[in-house]
Amino acid sequence: MAGKASASGTAVLLVTANVGSLFDDPENLQKNWLREFYQVAHAHRPHFLALHCQEFGGKNYEASMSHVDKFVKELLSSDAMKEYNRARVYLDENYKSQEHFTALGSFYFLHESLKNIYQFDFKAKKYKKVTGKEIYSDTLESTPMLEKEKFPQDYFPECKWSRKGFIRTRWCVADCAFDLVNIHLFHDASNLVAWETSPSVYSGIRRKALGYVLDRISDQRFEKASYFVFGDFNFRLDSKSVVETLCTKATMQTVRAADTNEVVKLIFRESDNDRKVTLQLEKKLFDYVNQEVFRDNNGTALLEFDKELSVFKDRLCELDISFPPSYPYSEDSSQGKQYMNTRCPAWCDRVLMSPSAKELILRGALSEQTLMSEANVSRESGNRTSVCGAGGSAARVLTAAPTASESEEKVVTYDHIGPSVCMGDHKPVFLAFRIAPGAGKPHARVHKCCVVQ
């Protein structure tokens, strides 16, 4: 599937997917999900592929154990992945432990052409060479190759039993060291509560949890490395602002419970047009009259209301979003493009990175641009020597050489998977890029003095 990791660099594919729906309806959803996942892997031909899953096993985890085993076996043994001769799988399956269970699953696949791949042992503080395929599950707390934590219950007191947390691994690929963090942050428990303030109380809870993770992965216990944090952040559009914008010319009716006087519904009606209902808002209902606003031009007109990442602008970067909100899609296998009316659609699933990780990506893009320019020069020179000589052809090519942004578009892709296919209530999101040769040379010493044989 992948080409050789040589002059063109090492191809990396990072995928995040909330897969809870796949285990609630495996017969209808898993086959399509896997097909779409394999197609993206085949298109980008990665040497190193990381798949971060949240809600692994679905909501009824105990009843879904057999589906979990089948899904993992399919990923590890399918023909589509046969060229990946090494793998590491970390599954948090200890669902009986309220103190530790996160329902996170992290998969890492290494192509047969990739040499000298190392994973960090957090206990020994050394790198170990990766060989073979291994699966770790049940109690991950004792696994030295990762760090795992569940967020304290008091972070999200509204939820009786939260499964939110993170798993961190560290890798050295092509002499380049980086952390990969699988994360699942807290959701909005009520649309009505989210609408009350700007920013919402839930935004503050997510900010606290994400800040904790960033502090944890950049503390003094280990040498600092670039990091990629990708998972289900549950980031939402600023509810108050987006509702006010969508319902600018509407009047609001408040419906209260007869016994408690608690607000149970907000109804927004057009001032004219027979008082047509524009939006109905309940605890778990966001029923807007025109779903196309979330799909037109990939919904990017609404990105101005996507504000939760701005708090971390000095610590986290993201490439430009050019795909529609990743949640909440219909779980009906025949409705691949339809959103459910439970929540306002939002970009919950993201691939974020440290500033140094973004530099790594851009360096790879520029390296690829240079290779393409040199190849074009060589090709044009050979084609035109008999007409105007090498000098003329080189001048022509260099004038038309791609800009950094054009090259970046060709070798760096940030997008979603299965745009027209039901993938469950979340569309997986991926980032594909290349690590330029020599990009991690400052870390090359880990091979000589920090490796456990």
Side-chain angles (χ1 to χ4, degrees):
M1 184 183 290
K4 288 187 177 180
S6 56
S8 62
T10 302
V12 177
L13 179 63
L14 309 180
V15 182
T16 179
N18 185 313
V19 294
S21 300
L22 303 191
F23 301 96
D24 295 333
D25 186 11
E27 294 301 321
N28 290 315
L29 296 181
Q30 283 194 19
K31 184 178 179 180
N32 289 340
W33 191 99
L34 287 165
R35 184 189 67 243
E36 297 295 316
F37 171 75
Y38 293 148
Q39 286 179 358
V40 168
H42 182 75
H44 293 278
R45 302 168 64 84
H47 302 102
F48 180 89
L49 193 164
L51 169 62
H52 283 177
C53 297
Q54 305 81 43
E55 295 292 354
F56 202 82
K59 299 178 180 65
N60 301 309
Y61 200 92
E62 187 169 5
S64 303
M65 288 295 286
S66 60
H67 303 315
V68 167
D69 294 340
K70 182 179 178 181
F71 185 81
V72 173
K73 183 178 180 181
E74 163 64 26
L75 276 172
L76 289 177
S77 62
S78 70
D79 287 342
M81 305 295 287
K82 64 183 179 182
E83 295 179 8
Y84 294 87
N85 62 347
R86 290 151 293 170
R88 291 294 182 270
V89 179
Y90 302 102
L91 303 176
D92 189 358
E93 293 186 322
N94 190 16
Y95 59 88
K96 294 181 180 179
S97 173
Q98 293 194 19
E99 182 181 358
H100 298 294
F101 184 52
T102 62
L104 295 174
S106 297
F107 297 75
Y108 305 98
F109 302 93
L110 287 65
H111 192 265
E112 59 191 12
S113 66
L114 199 55
K115 309 301 181 185
N116 299 322
I117 304 305
Y118 299 87
Q119 187 181 1
F120 192 65
D121 183 318
F122 287 96
K123 184 176 181 180
K125 295 188 177 181
K126 292 180 181 290
Y127 285 85
K128 292 183 177 179
K129 192 168 185 177
V130 180
T131 60
K133 296 181 179 181
E134 297 177 1
I135 301 174
Y136 297 85
S137 61
D138 198 17
T139 306
L140 296 184
E141 286 71 32
S142 60
T143 303
M145 308 309 290
L146 58 82
E147 286 196 319
K148 167 183 168 288
E149 286 190 46
K150 177 180 174 179
F151 296 120
Q153 187 62 42
D154 60 10
Y155 272 36
F156 197 45
E158 284 191 48
C159 190
K160 293 180 181 179
W161 185 27
S162 164
R163 294 188 289 184
K164 307 301 192 292
F166 72 95
I167 291 178
R168 168 199 193 185
T169 56
R170 175 172 289 190
W171 302 83
C172 186
V173 178
D175 290 335
C176 187
F178 51 81
D179 283 349
L180 300 180
V181 181
N182 187 353
I183 192 169
H184 195 184
L185 297 181
F186 302 101
H187 60 280
D188 281 13
S190 168
N191 293 323
L192 294 170
V193 173
W195 181 82
E196 291 174 353
T197 59
S198 177
S200 78
V201 62
Y202 303 117
S203 174
I205 294 170
R206 288 187 285 271
R207 181 170 66 247
K208 179 180 179 181
L210 181 53
Y212 174 82
V213 174
L214 296 181
D215 290 343
R216 182 70 172 165
I217 65 175
S218 59
D219 60 20
Q220 301 302 314
R221 294 170 301 138
F222 308 105
E223 182 180 354
K224 285 183 170 55
S226 299
Y227 53 81
F228 295 88
V229 185
F230 50 113
D232 180 2
F233 292 84
N234 264 312
F235 287 162
R236 307 302 171 97
L237 304 184
D238 185 75
S239 293
K240 195 166 188 65
S241 299
V242 76
V243 167
E244 289 173 352
T245 299
L246 294 176
C247 304
T248 302
K249 299 180 180 180
T251 57
M252 185 181 76
Q253 174 189 353
T254 302
V255 180
R256 298 179 180 272
D259 52 347
T260 64
N261 203 37
E262 177 185 4
V263 176
V264 294
K265 182 185 295 188
L266 299 176
I267 302 175
F268 295 83
R269 299 179 183 273
E270 294 185 17
S271 300
D272 47 22
N273 196 22
D274 295 328
R275 302 276 295 160
K276 181 180 178 181
V277 174
T278 302
L279 170 68
Q280 290 192 69
L281 199 66
E282 299 178 19
K283 181 178 180 178
K284 294 185 177 182
L285 179 72
F286 189 98
D287 190 1
Y288 185 61
V289 67
N290 179 23
Q291 273 205 5
E292 290 303 314
V293 71
F294 304 109
R295 290 190 287 259
D296 287 345
N297 194 30
N298 292 320
T300 50
L302 298 170
L303 278 170
E304 65 175 292
F305 305 113
D306 180 74
K307 302 176 180 179
E308 295 195 34
L309 187 56
S310 62
V311 179
F312 299 96
K313 61 182 179 181
D314 296 329
R315 307 176 73 182
L316 285 171
C317 305
E318 184 177 31
L319 301 188
D320 290 341
I321 292 176
S322 58
F323 51 88
S326 63
Y327 171 85
Y329 280 90
S330 170
E331 295 172 295
D332 183 336
S333 58
S334 66
Q335 299 289 334
K337 294 184 176 181
Q338 187 75 13
Y339 287 107
M340 287 193 287
N341 62 0
T342 53
R343 310 285 182 186
C344 177
W347 288 271
C348 293
D349 308 273
R350 317 279 274 259
V351 181
L352 310 179
M353 67 206 78
S354 63
S356 60
K358 185 175 182 181
E359 284 298 316
L360 187 71
I361 291 176
L362 297 180
R363 201 179 309 162
L366 290 172
S367 175
E368 187 75 2
Q369 173 206 344
T370 301
L371 285 170
M372 288 190 296
S373 297
E374 291 175 350
N376 285 338
V377 169
S378 176
R379 184 164 54 251
E380 290 289 338
S381 297
N383 290 341
R384 294 174 56 86
T385 299
S386 61
V387 179
C388 62
S393 63
R396 175 188 173 192
V397 173
L398 293 175
T399 301
T403 64
S405 60
E406 289 172 338
S407 174
E408 181 183 335
E409 289 176 0
K410 295 177 182 178
V411 297
V412 181
T413 307
Y414 187 34
D415 205 347
H416 66 321
I417 299 177
S420 302
V421 177
C422 180
M423 307 288 284
D425 56 350
H426 290 256
K427 297 286 189 189
V429 170
F430 73 92
L431 175 67
F433 62 95
R434 286 184 176 270
I435 299 175
K441 286 303 180 185
H443 297 284
R445 60 189 176 83
V446 302
H447 289 217
K448 299 174 182 177
C449 66
C450 300
V451 175
V452 177
Q453 299 297 336

